[in-house]
DNA sequence: CCTCCGATGTGCT
DNA sequence: GCACATCGGAGGC
């Protein structure tokens, strides 16, 4: 969402440092991934179906899906292709930490370090209370329970690292994952066991 | 209708 | 590092 028609990878990169509020918890984004459309085999929008239709729509909306019993959240952006979205992989909790701890604790036996409250896309959604009910939320509406505040933090001191996306089988070497270098909330990289080019 | 399988997380070795 | 829980989407029959 930095520029209206910038490539999706640049839009993803530009979201690092932005604030995201979800049901009373605020995070600063530290790790994101870019997903495109028909030219990106790893994207749900690779095939146009009812589920992926939202990514062909207007930017600034929330795309939520479930995988392995967890929720994952994306911001729909306007890329150069017909569909684009940015997966929110991790963030640093900067507000509402008590709520986030409660939500994370509810599904675990062992305690969660504060730096890991929103580490990984499933955990991020859990911490922010994001479920399928939040699908299609307008993130630019100040009244939305989930919203994006575009103001960047520490624009200069932020070293950004690019690398391959986590856990994807197809297009596994595309360098579309971006994260803040050395930040403790960033999830570990895992390559898909059967990853192809 | 049924099968396959993933943009994951957790706990254990 | 490894196993497995877990469930809806997508596609095959």
């Amino acid at each position: 969402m930095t520029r209206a028609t910038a490539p999706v990878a640049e839009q993803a990169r530009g979201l690092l440092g932005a604030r995201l509020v979800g049901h009373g918890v605020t995070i600063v984004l530290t790790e994101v991934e870019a997903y495109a459309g028909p030219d990106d085999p790893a994207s749900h929008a690779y095939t146009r179906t009812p589920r992926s239709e939202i990514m062909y729509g207007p930017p600034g909306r929330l795309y939520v899906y479930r995988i392995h019993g967890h929720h994952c959240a994306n911001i729909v952006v306007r890329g150069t292709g017909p569909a684009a979205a940015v997966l929110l992989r991790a963030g640093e909790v900067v507000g509402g930490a008590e709520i986030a701890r409660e939500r994370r604790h509810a599904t675990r036996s062992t305690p969660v370090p504060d730096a890991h409250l929103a580490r990984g896309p499933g955990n991020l959604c859990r911490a922010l209370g994001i479920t399928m009910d939040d699908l299609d939320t307008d993130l630019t509406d100040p009244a939305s329970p989930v919203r994006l505040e575009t103001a960047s933090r520490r624009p200069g001191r932020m070293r950004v690292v690019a690398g391959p996306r986590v856990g994807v089988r197809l297009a596994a070497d595309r360098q579309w994952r971006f994260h803040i270098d050395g930040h403790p909330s960033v999830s570990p990289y895992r390559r898909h066991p059967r990853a192809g080019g």
Side-chain angles (χ1 to χ4, degrees), chain A residues 61-72:
Chain A
R61 307 255 278 272
L62 195 68
Y63 167 46
V64 185
Y65 68 93
R66 302 200 70 178
I67 184 167
H68 292 281
H70 305 273
H71 297 278
C72 294

Side-chain angles (χ1 to χ4, degrees), chain A residues 33-51:
Chain A
E33 282 175 0
Y35 287 87
D39 62 332
D40 181 9
S43 174
H44 291 172
Y46 182 61
T47 53
R48 192 166 183 167
T49 67
R51 178 175 70 155

